């Protein structure tokens, strides 16, 4: 199993540009998550999904969109990138609800200038 | 509001010193608790987890943590640190209610000096 994979690893965007961060898991997990990690702030939940076709907002959803058309993929879309979106983005997945651990991808480092 | 607190932002230790990193959570209900580690340039990896049962849980690489319900704490310990333990450590909690999302602390950076 590759686990959770993310592309790209690094990206520099100009203000106002858009992009999609890709996330794929091969563990047949129902739950998938997007987090952003800012220095000294820990990880904040952006969006999550409990299954294909079902998504919901986390703590910091503004400026982002997601979709979940398949179990494996959970892309994160940034429209009109802003400097405040400079961060490291992590995707994660888990098998079920309360009693399961999350598995994290390697992250995407995004800089918006 | 629900939260996870890690009060040590940066800890510097010499090799062979003992380690204890604090973690407190503010939920009143049933929680599962985790410690994740992030080595430089790498993604988060699970160190250990507490779901139920014995409040002293052992994880990988000689780490352990103790769940003390009365203190709402889940402190991470290691008797003797190594240079390779240099990393950032995150405590996290998931509630039994709601969407079962993880709430993370702000992290503690550990630097071990050889």
């Amino acid at each position: 199993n590759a686990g959770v994979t993310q592309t790209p690893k690094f990206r520099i965007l100009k203000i106002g540009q858009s992009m999609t961060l890709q996330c794929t898991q091969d563990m047949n997990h129902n739950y998938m998550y997007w987090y952003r990690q800012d220095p000294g702030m820990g990880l904040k939940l952006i969006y999550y999904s409990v299954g294909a076709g079902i998504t919901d907002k986390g703590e910091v959803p503004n400026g982002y969109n997601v979709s979940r058309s398949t179990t494996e993929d959970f892309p994160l879309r940034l429209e009109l990138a802003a400097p405040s979106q400079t961060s490291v983005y992590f995707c994660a997945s888990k098998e079920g609800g309360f009693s399961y651990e999350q598995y994290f991808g390697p992250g995407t480092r995004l800089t918006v200038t | 509001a629900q939260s996870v607190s890690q009060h040590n932002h940066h800890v510097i230790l010499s090799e062979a010193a003992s380690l204890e990193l604090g973690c407190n959570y503010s939920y009143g209900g049933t929680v599962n608790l985790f410690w994740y580690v992030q080595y430089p340039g790498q993604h988060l990896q699970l160190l250990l987890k507490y779901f139920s049962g014995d409040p002293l849980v052992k994880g990988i690489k000689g780490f352990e943590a103790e769940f003390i319900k009365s203190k709402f704490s889940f402190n991470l310990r290691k008797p003797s640190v190594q240079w390779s333990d240099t990393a950032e450590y995150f405590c996290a909690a998931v509630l039994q209610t709601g969407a079962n999302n993880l709430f993370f602390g702000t992290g503690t950076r550990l630097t071990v000096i050889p």
Side-chain angles (χ1 to χ4, degrees):
Chain A
N1 284 350
V4 180
T5 57
Q6 293 181 238
T7 57
K9 285 188 169 53
F10 304 94
R11 184 74 185 268
I12 299 174
L13 281 182
K14 294 191 184 304
I15 294 171
Q17 287 185 318
S18 61
M19 75 165 293
T20 299
L21 281 66
Q22 302 291 346
C23 175
T24 300
Q25 53 90 9
D26 63 358
M27 298 173 281
N28 202 33
H29 286 170
N30 287 322
Y31 290 64
M32 295 188 74
Y33 305 83
W34 274 106
Y35 296 90
R36 56 178 289 170
Q37 182 184 26
D38 300 316
M41 299 293 289
L43 278 77
K44 299 290 185 183
L45 182 65
I46 305 171
Y47 270 96
Y48 67 97
S49 169
V50 300
I54 306 169
T55 63
D56 207 347
K57 296 177 181 178
E59 294 178 79
V60 290
N62 291 345
Y64 307 94
N65 278 302
V66 293
S67 59
R68 183 96 182 269
S69 56
T70 66
T71 299
E72 295 79 18
D73 300 306
F74 190 41
L76 177 72
R77 177 86 176 160
L78 278 73
E79 308 279 5
L80 298 174
S84 60
Q85 293 177 305
T86 294
S87 189
V88 181
Y89 292 85
F90 288 99
C91 180
S93 72
K94 70 175 181 177
E95 184 175 348
F98 179 55
S99 295
Y100 293 90
E101 67 190 76
Q102 291 187 20
Y103 295 84
F104 286 82
T108 294
R109 185 175 293 276
L110 175 68
T111 302
V112 182
T113 62
Chain B
Q2 301 153 348
S3 67
V4 175
S5 302
Q6 292 180 248
H7 302 295
N8 311 107
H9 297 294
H10 190 189
V11 173
I12 303 173
L13 294 172
S14 297
E15 273 193 321
S18 64
L19 169 72
E20 181 160 3
L21 301 182
C23 173
N24 289 91
Y25 62 95
S26 65
Y27 313 114
T30 303
V31 296
N32 285 346
L33 295 159
F34 305 82
W35 275 98
Y36 282 88
V37 60
Q38 187 177 29
Y39 297 105
Q42 297 189 26
H43 61 283
L44 277 80
Q45 303 171 42
L46 184 69
L47 262 184
L48 48 79
K49 60 190 177 187
Y50 172 77
F51 285 173
S52 64
D54 189 344
L56 185 63
V57 293
K58 295 191 183 300
I60 60 172
K61 304 186 181 185
F63 287 91
E64 64 180 31
E66 185 174 13
F67 170 58
I68 303 179
K69 190 173 182 179
S70 61
K71 295 184 178 180
F72 296 89
S73 69
F74 189 56
N75 292 356
L76 181 71
R77 298 196 292 252
K78 186 170 183 178
S80 175
V81 295
Q82 301 172 316
W83 175 78
S84 58
D85 293 325
T86 294
E88 190 142 17
Y89 293 81
F90 293 93
C91 183
V94 61
L95 298 183
Q96 194 174 31
T97 59
N100 305 141
N101 293 329
L102 265 179
F103 291 89
F104 281 87
T106 52
T108 297
R109 192 192 324 165
L110 173 65
T111 301
V112 180
I113 302 169

